[in-house]
Amino acid sequence: MYQAKCKKCFGKRFWKVRRGKLRCKNCRYEFTPKIGGMRLTKYQWEALLKWFLRCQSLNVIVKETDISEYKVLKALNLVRQVMAVDIPEVFEGEVEVDETYLGGQWKFKRKSVKKSQKPSKRGLGTTKQPVFGILARCGRVWATIVPDAEAKDLIPIIEKRIKRGSRVNSDTWRAYTGLATKGYVHRTVEHAKQEYVKGKSHINGLEGFFGYLKRQLASRGGIRKERLSYYLAEYVWRYNYRELPIEKKVKRLFNLVANT
Ligand SMILES: [Zn+2]
């Protein structure tokens, strides 16, 4: 838990007084403690997190919490930062890797860009943003934007994020060739042949996450491309903790925010 400090005398013992304020037992100074670097009470943070987890709409959060739009935006920025680091550093065991392309979801897509789309290596438009994902069957998913979906982009991430000796399931995309020489047990599945489930060799878990991600981005009515990494962390977190009751999600995020 976070530890508040008196602004005047740096005392650490307080009486709780009205509206989330604290009164210093040493110098009697009364103040709203800073949580997550902001003058929001625990109660305000919890309300903000609850509405954010429920609906994601800025207007609704501002209206329901009675916190200024400026503060809500600043707070949500921090929430997404803590969400981004609330994942395991390293994945192991039975792991899936896959890439997907986002693009239909962009807001403010320039017409010239739309027209100049040329088929790229995997037959997709040049404005499509490749996203690479890792999923541990017994645990969590993680995804990041990548400049391209070639071996030079993906292999270093795999080596950093997946423990050697893990069983890595992928499709037959050329970027994954050679994973076995890097110390992984590599299993492939051929998309085109519709043999998605070949015993344990499949990437259904990640495909489930990518489907969820695309639906969520589409339901926002599109996002700006440069904001993608920001939202990606949010949806990875939401997906990883989708089974958790909302009070526990609020508690988890509050503790992360309070400890930043
Ligand atoms: Zn004091």
Side-chain angles (χ1 to χ4, degrees), residues 52-173:
F52 167 67
L53 288 167
R54 275 190 190 160
C55 73
Q56 311 171 34
S57 151
L58 179 64
N59 289 341
V60 174
I61 300 171
V62 169
K63 187 170 155 269
E64 295 291 341
T65 60
D66 209 19
I67 301 169
S68 74
E69 186 176 316
Y70 169 79
K71 271 192 168 181
V72 170
L73 281 171
K74 198 177 161 197
L76 292 184
N77 212 5
L78 182 66
V79 170
R80 290 191 176 98
Q81 281 171 34
V82 302
M83 282 175 150
V85 293
D86 190 19
I87 51 134
E89 275 289 300
V90 175
F91 294 80
E92 59 184 305
E94 192 81 25
V95 178
E96 300 176 18
V97 295
D98 197 14
E99 357 71 53
T100 193
Y101 290 79
L102 301 176
Q105 296 85 358
W106 307 143
K107 216 175 204 173
F108 313 122
K109 186 155 58 179
R110 283 179 295 124
K111 275 185 186 139
S112 59
V113 172
K114 279 190 212 162
K115 278 180 190 162
S116 70
Q117 280 189 7
K118 284 181 209 117
S120 69
K121 293 168 197 104
R122 286 195 103 174
L124 293 154
T126 49
T127 60
K128 299 268 180 173
Q129 173 64 57
V131 169
F132 174 65
I134 300 175
L135 176 141
R137 293 265 169 85
C138 56
R140 305 288 182 214
V141 66
W142 177 72
T144 186
I145 58 172
V146 284
D148 210 344
E150 295 296 336
K152 65 169 171 47
D153 308 292
L154 308 185
I155 299 294
I157 301 175
I158 290 172
E159 291 192 276
K160 190 181 165 201
R161 291 280 180 167
I162 305 177
K163 200 171 161 186
R164 296 281 185 297
S166 298
R167 197 177 142 113
V168 179
N169 296 269
S170 77
D171 62 15
T172 54
W173 174 234

Side-chain angles (χ1 to χ4, degrees), residues 6-11 13-14 24-29 31:
C6 172
K7 224 171 99 173
K8 299 267 176 192
C9 74
F10 305 105
R13 297 173 64 236
F14 307 97
C24 179
K25 285 190 176 179
N26 185 40
C27 73
R28 310 290 154 112
Y29 178 66
F31 65 105

